[in-house]
Amino acid sequence: MDDLQKNEEGHSINELDSRGIVSSLKSVSVLYVEDDEGIRDQLSRFLKRRVGTLYIATNGQEGLESWRLNQPDVVVTDIMMPVMDGLKMAEAIKQENPTVPIIVTTAFNETEFFLKAIDLGIEKYVIKPVKTEQLLVAIQKSAWGARAELEMQLASKVFESSSDAIVITDQKNIIIAVNSAFCQITGFAENEAIGQTPSILKSGRHDQAFYQEMWRSIEKDGNWSGEVWNRRKNGEIYAEWLTLNTVRNYQNEITHYVAIFADITERKQAEEHVHHLAHYDVLTDLPNRTLLQDRLSQALIKAHRHASKAAVMFIDLDRFKVINDTLGHGIGDLLLQEVADRLSNCIREGDTVSRLGGDEFVILLPELGTPDDAYTVAQKLLNSVSQPFMLKGHELHISASVGVSFYPDDGESVETLMKNADIAMYRAKEIGRNNCQFYHADMNSRSFERLAMETSIRRAIECAQFELYFQPRIAMSSRKIIGMEALIRWHHPDLGLVSPAQFIPLAEETGLILPLGEWVLRAAATQGQAWLAAGLEPLHIAVNVSARQFRQVDFVGKVEQILKETGFSPDYLELELTESTLMTHAEENINVLNKFKAMGIRIAIDDFGTGYSSLAYLKRLPVDILKIDRSFISDITEDRDDAAIAEAIISMAQSMSLRVVAEGVETLEQLDFLETRKCDEVQGFYYSPAVPAEQFARLVAEMGKGIGHS
Ligand code: C2E
Ligand code: MG
Ligand code: MG
């Protein structure tokens, strides 16, 4: 009682408080059961101020009812009481909830009593007379014990039922506990994981530096979180979002690590799928333009830093459109896939093959020793693409044209390098496809020139900027004009008179020669007919026919139709074909030429001597005239070789009963030489250049009687 009094005055309460007991009791509810009114009053007054809630009962029966009603954290009870004693009450409570802490205050001090109490599950006693401090400590310990147990139960529920994997390791990072989500995600059973370190999950996808940074952060901040690629027991790699925390003791030493992670593989896969679609071509699975540009700009940064070279290679399949149009898109797609595979096999690791779309591919060679390396790659891929493709029973043969630009020589930006490789590729197409061209600066101006020329040729046909000039052909024997060659002239609005040598080759390449050639034929026939109508003596008109024109479908029909339209007689039309045109596909040409012959049209071989004519064929070709190329005539009087060639051509023609015309005769000496060699006709500036139709008519009138030698 003294003791209680003393506490009431507050002496030792301070001591208690300094140990944190008083404040911690503020959240605890207590049921106090005591029949002795005096003790009950004093002790309840004391407890009321120190515990959270205090319930009071005067005997065991009341106590049991109050417990049922209020569910206090701790029960403090006397033993000897009327109606129901303390042990009976304790027995009843423990039956309903064995974890409720019960503290008995007792004057008994006998073994038999304690054994009974222990049997009931009562572990705490305060011997009467009650020392208040001792009682408070007992209440606190009991309350904490019960709460800790509850928390433990809660924690283990959370641990087990969490859908995130949880791993607890000790300070040496040895696994001491894992939950079932861990087992599910990783495939390791609890007993396989415990005793190991988390490195059993390592995938090898992260380097040493990654883990070092992770541990540095854990030690410094106490936690780390991020994405980690790990490996399941079955070897499968998966992605997890990992949070790592440390547990420290009161001396602030790490005692445990807690790792919590979720399997985010599906989310990552979805992300990757979207990323893939945005960066790869669906048909070939090659990087697309976006990814190529990305890699190219990375490569340029690197090349700049190391002062090294990089190459961009444009590849375009030749005549892919024809395959697509004739065999269908299905075969076209298969072909592109196969080409993609072959190209990929021509490069080294680190190089990129990409598809821009259609039949356009680009290869990036980011680290290049010398330009020769690019050349080697180009040759390899040209060779690979030209091997036959077997697709659904079709054997296909294709080729490719390749253009290359180099960093930094041909450009320093992604755009310039791509553009210049493209220009070089077009150059490769121009010069006959199935080859590789390196970009150089004048290609640029050439391609502009070309484009400008092409559009203006189209316009020139529409706007009638072309005119035919005529150059007379003179018979050696009579010195009379016996025919003429029609030569095209272009009155360009800005450039003035443009020579055919400048635009005929381009018109050939682009196919514009077809409408142009048709125009020439019609214009020549129309003019010839007009002269006849004007009363001029009929003369042969020779018209130049280009290879492409000659090979067009039903060229014979076209000529026939023009003659019909204009009324010009085929007997006065002569077609000039170059030696090389006639010698390629010579066998087929014989047929076409025979048709012209049958119509009465004469055939001349133009620029003779410049090609490599097969004399065997020459014999079989139904031609009428050989025109010795100007290059042999110009030096005929000085160069003995040229003289010998001219002489040989003349005598050969005579032996084959062909007429011989010498082109480009400019001087009297040349004329004399040709006369003694018995050349049949001459054409050249000595008599007249090509002139407009009107002027030609005057020329015929002047020279009508023939021009004498002197
Ligand atoms: P080509 O058929 O060999 O025509 C002869 C060329 O030599 C003409 O040049 C003519 O003006 C030139 N020439 C004639 N005599 C002399 C001479 O004494 N000295 C010199 N230096 N040159 C002489 P042009 O008119 O410039 O035509 C060049 C080429 O363009 C022609 O060579 C022909 O291959 C082609 N061409 C001209 N017109 C046509 C055409 O209507 N259709 C086609 N497909 N090609 C044409
Ligand atoms: Mg000619
Ligand atoms: Mg010629």
Side-chain angles (χ1 to χ4, degrees):
M1 204 59 34
D2 282 358
D3 196 32
L4 188 73
Q5 209 56 47
K6 188 173 127 199
N7 280 333
E8 269 295 79
E9 285 153 16
H11 292 300
S12 53
I13 294 296
N14 281 343
E15 277 168 50
L16 290 176
D17 212 14
S18 71
R19 284 155 64 178
I21 292 174
V22 170
S23 50
S24 74
L25 284 173
K26 285 292 178 204
S27 62
V28 175
S29 58
V30 175
L31 168 62
Y32 175 43
V33 191
E34 174 62 67
D35 64 326
D36 184 313
E37 204 182 336
I39 299 174
R40 191 172 69 226
D41 279 357
Q42 273 193 341
L43 211 53
S44 23
R45 227 182 304 132
F46 170 77
L47 287 174
K48 211 171 231 161
R49 292 200 212 137
R50 286 163 181 90
V51 302
T53 317
L54 183 70
Y55 306 103
I56 297 161
T58 58
N59 60 51
Q61 184 63 42
E62 255 180 48
L64 185 60
E65 281 158 19
S66 173
W67 179 80
R68 283 181 178 142
L69 188 69
N70 300 310
Q71 299 284 316
D73 296 324
V74 180
V75 179
V76 178
T77 185
D78 184 25
I79 301 286
M80 296 293 287
M81 288 183 293
V83 190
M84 182 188 278
D85 72 27
L87 287 183
K88 276 237 162 61
M89 179 193 75
E91 193 174 3
I93 292 174
K94 287 278 183 190
Q95 248 164 29
E96 288 180 36
N97 183 350
T99 66
V100 178
I102 298 176
I103 300 165
V104 289
T105 58
T106 181
F108 291 118
N109 206 357
E110 290 147 16
T111 320
E112 199 185 334
F113 164 76
F114 285 117
L115 286 177
K116 189 168 182 215
I118 285 166
D119 220 25
L120 288 173
I122 293 165
E123 30 341 49
K124 293 214 163 49
Y125 316 91
V126 182
I127 305 294
K128 282 186 171 174
V130 172
K131 288 205 170 88
T132 48
E133 185 187 341
Q134 202 185 352
L135 180 63
L136 282 182
V137 171
I139 291 173
Q140 191 227 28
K141 279 192 174 161
S142 304
W144 278 9
R147 203 164 282 177
E149 194 164 325
L150 191 70
E151 278 168 8
M152 275 290 281
Q153 277 173 6
L154 273 175
S156 86
K157 263 258 152 53
V158 171
F159 186 76
E160 262 320 302
S161 61
S162 165
S163 62
D164 287 349
I166 304 174
V167 188
I168 300 171
T169 61
D170 64 13
Q171 75 270 33
K172 287 191 185 122
N173 206 25
I174 303 290
I175 298 174
I176 57 166
V178 295
N179 68 351
S180 56
F182 170 91
C183 300
Q184 233 163 45
I185 293 174
T186 65
F188 284 102
E190 190 180 4
N191 62 354
E192 292 169 325
I194 288 175
Q196 305 283 347
T197 70
S199 66
I200 53 170
L201 302 175
K202 260 194 185 172
S203 67
R205 280 220 194 169
H206 303 286
D207 56 10
Q208 204 55 35
F210 176 84
Y211 293 105
Q212 276 167 1
E213 176 55 30
M214 179 194 275
W215 282 108
R216 201 195 56 76
S217 165
I218 293 168
E219 252 130 60
K220 186 169 152 273
D221 310 325
N223 61 69
W224 181 89
S225 54
E227 254 172 45
V228 180
W229 288 98
N230 269 346
R231 188 190 296 275
R232 302 188 217 275
K233 190 185 169 189
N234 66 9
E236 201 178 295
I237 304 280
Y238 70 97
E240 61 179 41
W241 180 262
L242 172 65
T243 305
L244 274 168
N245 273 294
T246 51
V247 179
R248 289 173 190 269
N249 64 14
Y250 62 96
Q251 281 163 313
N252 207 31
E253 297 157 338
I254 293 176
T255 59
H256 297 90
Y257 297 97
V258 180
I260 301 177
F261 61 83
D263 188 339
I264 55 166
T265 312
E266 272 176 34
R267 199 193 77 203
K268 290 291 285 182
Q269 279 168 348
E271 265 174 31
E272 272 168 19
H273 186 59
V274 171
H275 183 269
H276 195 85
L277 286 180
H279 292 89
Y280 289 84
D281 172 41
V282 179
L283 180 67
T284 60
D285 211 33
L286 291 177
N288 64 11
R289 185 188 293 269
T290 313
L291 185 54
L292 171 74
Q293 285 177 337
D294 209 56
R295 290 199 185 158
L296 182 52
S297 56
Q298 294 301 320
L300 297 190
I301 293 168
K302 237 184 181 168
H304 177 74
R305 200 183 302 138
H306 300 149
S308 61
K309 277 190 193 300
V312 178
M313 202 175 264
F314 252 71
I315 299 138
D316 192 283
L317 303 184
D318 301 327
R319 300 193 183 87
F320 172 72
K321 199 177 159 341
V322 179
I323 290 173
N324 228 9
D325 291 350
T326 53
L327 299 176
H329 292 278
I331 297 279
D333 285 354
L334 285 178
L335 179 64
L336 290 174
Q337 285 169 340
E338 178 88 17
V339 167
D341 283 351
R342 291 196 190 176
L343 294 183
S344 303
N345 286 330
C346 292
I347 58 162
R348 292 177 314 179
E349 206 183 310
D351 298 344
T352 298
V353 181
S354 67
R355 177 171 172 248
L356 298 190
D359 59 342
E360 277 190 332
F361 295 85
V362 172
I363 293 181
L364 162 66
L365 306 170
E367 274 160 55
L368 207 64
T370 69
D372 282 353
D373 296 349
Y375 191 75
T376 310
V377 173
Q379 289 311 316
K380 206 162 135 192
L381 67 89
L382 282 173
N383 180 45
S384 164
V385 167
S386 65
Q387 302 305 312
F389 291 81
M390 283 304 302
L391 300 172
K392 292 209 169 147
H394 299 276
E395 186 178 313
L396 301 181
H397 294 263
I398 60 160
S399 59
S401 299
V402 181
V404 188
S405 66
F406 293 97
Y407 172 89
D409 315 57
D410 303 330
E412 301 198 345
S413 71
V414 170
E415 295 73 32
T416 316
L417 287 166
M418 296 272 279
K419 192 190 80 198
N420 289 344
D422 195 22
I423 288 173
M425 187 274 288
Y426 268 102
R427 179 76 190 126
K429 289 242 184 234
E430 255 176 53
I431 64 171
R433 304 183 165 94
N434 194 24
N435 74 101
C436 166
Q437 291 295 310
F438 285 1
Y439 173 81
H440 56 86
D442 55 301
M443 277 184 187
N444 222 339
S445 53
R446 267 189 55 94
S447 63
F448 279 126
E449 236 172 57
R450 217 184 105 88
L451 196 67
M453 197 57 122
E454 193 179 324
T455 18
S456 52
I457 292 177
R458 282 179 205 283
R459 200 169 312 130
I461 298 176
E462 289 160 20
C463 304
Q465 291 169 4
F466 293 111
E467 188 186 352
L468 276 192
Y469 276 33
F470 301 90
Q471 186 176 32
R473 255 165 54 186
I474 286 94
M476 192 68 92
S477 53
S478 63
R479 302 295 162 100
K480 276 188 175 178
I481 297 176
I482 52 157
M484 71 198 87
E485 178 174 6
L487 292 160
I488 194 168
R489 295 292 178 262
W490 181 4
H491 300 284
H492 194 281
D494 307 321
L495 304 174
L497 203 65
V498 183
S499 150
Q502 270 177 280
F503 64 86
I504 293 289
L506 182 62
E508 265 270 292
E509 241 170 57
T510 54
L512 284 168
I513 194 69
L514 299 183
L516 197 62
E518 201 177 319
W519 179 88
V520 170
L521 261 168
R522 187 171 283 112
T526 308
Q527 185 59 62
Q529 195 58 20
W531 277 326
L532 286 176
L536 252 80
E537 198 182 327
L539 294 170
H540 272 99
I541 303 180
V543 173
N544 292 284
V545 173
S546 80
R548 190 145 176 190
Q549 207 182 345
F550 183 64
R551 262 181 254 298
Q552 72 182 300
V553 182
D554 196 25
F555 177 54
V556 180
K558 278 239 157 71
V559 175
E560 229 171 354
Q561 204 212 324
I562 289 169
L563 292 175
K564 215 154 114 197
E565 266 174 43
T566 56
F568 190 64
S569 165
D571 295 337
Y572 291 101
L573 181 63
E574 191 176 297
L575 298 179
E576 287 191 10
L577 291 146
T578 62
E579 201 182 340
S580 59
T581 305
L582 285 174
M583 289 304 154
T584 32
H585 309 290
E587 206 60 55
E588 295 155 41
N589 295 342
I590 294 175
N591 280 329
V592 182
L593 296 179
N594 277 328
K595 285 183 190 162
F596 283 126
K597 280 291 283 217
M599 288 163 66
I601 295 171
R602 292 205 305 200
I603 306 294
I605 302 185
D606 201 357
D607 305 343
F608 192 82
T610 54
Y612 300 91
S613 288
S614 148
L615 287 175
Y617 271 121
L618 191 61
K619 263 190 188 159
R620 295 177 52 202
L621 286 174
V623 296
D624 307 281
I625 295 159
L626 285 189
K627 296 186 81 175
I628 306 173
D629 193 66
R630 200 175 73 220
S631 56
F632 300 107
I633 306 300
S634 57
D635 288 337
I636 210 168
T637 50
E638 284 112 46
D639 189 318
R640 295 178 61 182
D641 287 342
D642 281 356
I645 290 170
E647 230 168 330
I649 293 174
I650 294 168
S651 63
M652 184 191 76
Q654 283 164 347
S655 74
M656 289 163 73
S657 312
L658 300 175
R659 278 183 83 79
V660 194
V661 183
E663 283 192 293
V665 179
E666 295 182 352
T667 65
L668 185 60
E669 290 74 32
Q670 291 166 347
L671 190 69
D672 285 342
F673 177 94
L674 291 162
E675 190 180 27
T676 48
R677 279 17 173 232
K678 298 203 164 50
C679 181
D680 300 302
E681 295 177 32
V682 291
Q683 175 185 343
F685 293 173
Y686 178 74
Y687 285 112
S688 167
V691 294
E694 239 173 83
Q695 209 176 320
F696 184 82
R698 278 203 298 276
L699 207 63
V700 175
E702 283 165 20
M703 291 172 63
K705 296 192 184 74
I707 307 163
H709 213 183
S710 46

